[in-house]
Amino acid sequence: MSDEELKQYLGTEEITVVEAMQRIDANSAGILFITDAKGRLAGSLTDGDIRRWIIKTGKLDGRITQVMFRRPRYLLKEESGNAASYMEEQQITSVPVLDTKGKIVNIIFAVKKENDKAEFRKTLRGTPVIIMAGGKGTRLYPYTKILPKPLIPIGGIPILERIFHRFYRYGVGDFYLTVNYKKEMIKSYFSELDIPYRIHYVEEDRPLGTAGSIKLIEESFDAPVIIANCDTLIEADYGEVLRFHKESGNDLTIVSSLKNITIPYGVLYSKEQGIVSSMEEKPMLSYFINTGMYIVNPEHILRIPDGTIYHMTDLADQLMSDGLKVGMYPISENSFLDMGEFEEMKKMEERINSGSVQ
């Protein structure tokens, strides 16, 4: 591994949690190795470590030294020939190789086995999934004058088909699809495909919001229900999201994505009498945003009113008002792809065409 390649997997103890998430996003390996002031291995950090820390503290402004694992496994240069067996023994997917001064000179990654893939785990088998596909997609006009938003192709495949396929890999066999605008076109498209899952259409005769149409489903559920939009791709382990929801005791879990926004100006901070206390050039603000993917316990679906416009955010507000537990499952910025607007749709297509998103 060249020095330039090595840099993408390394970070210093001075970087922030947000910076670490960005670097892990960029290297696509799910890990960052942290070095001290002398360049020696000081710790390791995975996207899972960051997620657990954010869930525990609710903070984004922490330092990496608060989050990182301080006893990372490693090999010396003369031991690197045993890397494969060492990683299998330690149940890790990467290992840094150190020189005699403790500096990282290489990183070896395990070769993925076929049975490690999510589609072989089927962790969502039996889980009901509801996809909201009834909107007009007005922000994508004039595309949506011709096609309903769920059928707009991204990388040659309609976005809705991609969403179905992702859930199917985790064992989902039945989907409830709420439809309204150009619904016959959607039904016709999927009727002509040889698909290995079943689609149960839930037809609105008028818009009912992101939650209102759920009450049109005649079947009752006895397990947590996943609800998702038809215009977003979530790069996460869906089985892990469901496990988190159950183990945390949440009544509703919202999948949330980091969003970094750079202010394109120099920002002034002031105090009394208009005195400037400091300045900051093009600062970056970081937030967690709602991706539109939820897991809700089945009994709370009964709270959704019949025949009226009602959104999932209304349900979340109602649950919180009643003192029930609404939690979030954080994912990185690059793990959320949205095609709700032209610029975002272009980014999604570029990433899919590049092969970085399946």
Side-chain angles (χ1 to χ4, degrees), residues 30 32 35 44 85 103 124 149 184 188 192 203 226 232 238 246 251 303 305-306 309 318 324 345 352:
L32 201 65
T35 58
S44 65
S85 58
K103 294 184 178 182
L124 293 186
K149 181 168 59 174
E184 296 305 326
S188 176
E192 295 175 1
E203 300 187 29
I226 297 177
T232 58
Y238 295 170
K246 292 178 177 179
D251 292 279
R303 293 171 174 263
D306 293 322
I309 294 176
Q318 186 179 349
L324 296 174
M345 183 171 69
I352 286 175

Side-chain angles (χ1 to χ4, degrees), residues 148-196:
K149 181 168 59 174
L151 294 188
I152 292 178
I154 303 295
I157 300 173
I159 179 67
L160 181 56
E161 189 177 349
R162 288 187 178 275
I163 292 169
F164 283 152
H165 180 66
R166 283 180 177 233
F167 279 109
Y168 173 71
R169 290 188 307 180
Y170 288 84
V172 176
D174 287 274
F175 295 92
Y176 297 84
L177 184 67
T178 68
V179 293
N180 184 348
Y181 180 67
K182 294 187 181 293
K183 60 186 178 184
E184 296 305 326
M185 192 177 292
I186 296 172
K187 293 165 70 174
S188 176
Y189 176 82
F190 284 100
S191 70
E192 295 175 1
L193 294 182
D194 182 18
I195 52 178

Side-chain angles (χ1 to χ4, degrees), residues 6-61:
L6 194 59
K7 285 180 183 177
Q8 62 184 321
Y9 303 106
L10 304 181
T12 69
E13 293 177 315
E14 303 303 312
I15 65 173
T16 65
V17 169
V18 170
E19 290 171 322
M21 289 184 77
Q22 290 176 313
R23 293 195 185 193
I24 289 174
D25 256 355
N27 70 36
S28 301
I31 195 166
L32 201 65
F33 293 100
I34 308 301
T35 58
D36 64 16
K38 295 184 178 180
R40 299 170 300 192
L41 176 66
S44 65
L45 187 75
T46 67
D47 48 3
D49 292 330
I50 295 176
R51 182 178 301 111
R52 286 186 288 273
W53 188 81
I54 290 171
I55 290 170
K56 180 180 178 181
T57 67
K59 296 179 180 179
L60 271 175
D61 56 356

Side-chain angles (χ1 to χ4, degrees), residues 125-146:
R125 192 187 302 276
T127 301
V129 174
I130 302 170
I131 307 294
M132 300 296 180
K136 290 186 176 181
T138 52
R139 291 179 296 171
L140 293 178
Y141 185 86
Y143 284 7
T144 49
K145 185 178 180 180
I146 302 167

Side-chain angles (χ1 to χ4, degrees), residues 21 32 67 75-76 97 103 123 138 153 155 160 210-211 255 263 266 272 294 312 345 350:
M21 289 184 77
L32 201 65
V67 189
L75 292 173
L76 299 176
V97 178
K103 294 184 178 182
T123 46
T138 52
L160 181 56
T210 55
V255 177
I263 305 298
E272 296 84 356
Y294 308 85
M312 287 301 299
M345 183 171 69
E350 287 174 351

